[in-house]
Amino acid sequence: MNLRLIGIGAGVLIILSLPLAGAIAGPDLAGQEDGKGGGLLSTLGLSDAPRTGSAPPSDPAAASGRERPGPAEQPRTDSRCGPEVSSPHGVEAQTCVLVGEGLTWGRSYYRNTSGRALDAVLTVMGPAGRTVQIRCAVGVGDEPGLCETPRESSAGTPESYSAVAEFAVPDDEGDLLLRSGSNSPAPSDG
């Protein structure tokens, strides 16, 4: 297993979770009143400050004048990813198809240590010839990057979708350095 790409994935998860942590924490961690009823303690229902907002009327807790403590449940996102692949040119990638809330999209995690800026083309192919494609500029460096297509309404089963990312030199030659797919077989050691 490639530890570098595991690190990329962990870093992306941390980066993507920071806005959620800030939203949960609110502007006030110590429970000091800021007029908005925010803060982690009041969000979890552990402070004396009243919470703003209301629960749906069908909620029994709301009908009794109480709200449920804790953050709202996050929607589930399922992913189907191909193997982590790398090229001798210094490009590493893993490409996935993601499905959540009736939407499907493609995502490619990458690292570019090739010494030059590259272009990535990420394509998601679905049932009935449906295709979504995006071009991403891939900067040079050891930091992980992310290329993602727009989210489109799902049609068919998640297994009927696949994604492919192609990393190439952005000039007239367009040398292909790496191709990464969501349903590619794992590379063998033989």
Side-chain angles (χ1 to χ4, degrees), residues 99-187:
V99 177
E101 294 189 308
L103 301 173
T104 303
W105 66 100
R107 181 182 292 166
S108 187
Y109 304 96
Y110 63 82
R111 183 185 309 260
N112 177 17
T113 60
S114 69
R116 56 186 163 181
L118 303 175
D119 277 341
V121 175
L122 176 58
T123 306
V124 175
M125 294 151 289
R130 294 171 55 145
T131 303
V132 176
Q133 188 174 73
I134 191 166
R135 180 177 302 270
C136 298
V138 176
V140 179
D142 199 33
E143 293 299 314
L146 175 72
C147 181
E148 186 172 279
T149 66
R151 298 170 188 211
E152 299 286 331
S153 294
S154 298
T157 64
E159 295 77 26
S160 62
Y161 285 86
S162 62
V164 174
E166 296 177 316
F167 296 83
V169 178
D171 59 14
D172 292 336
E173 297 170 23
D175 293 334
L176 180 63
L177 302 181
L178 182 68
R179 180 177 287 132
S180 169
S182 64
N183 58 353
S184 301

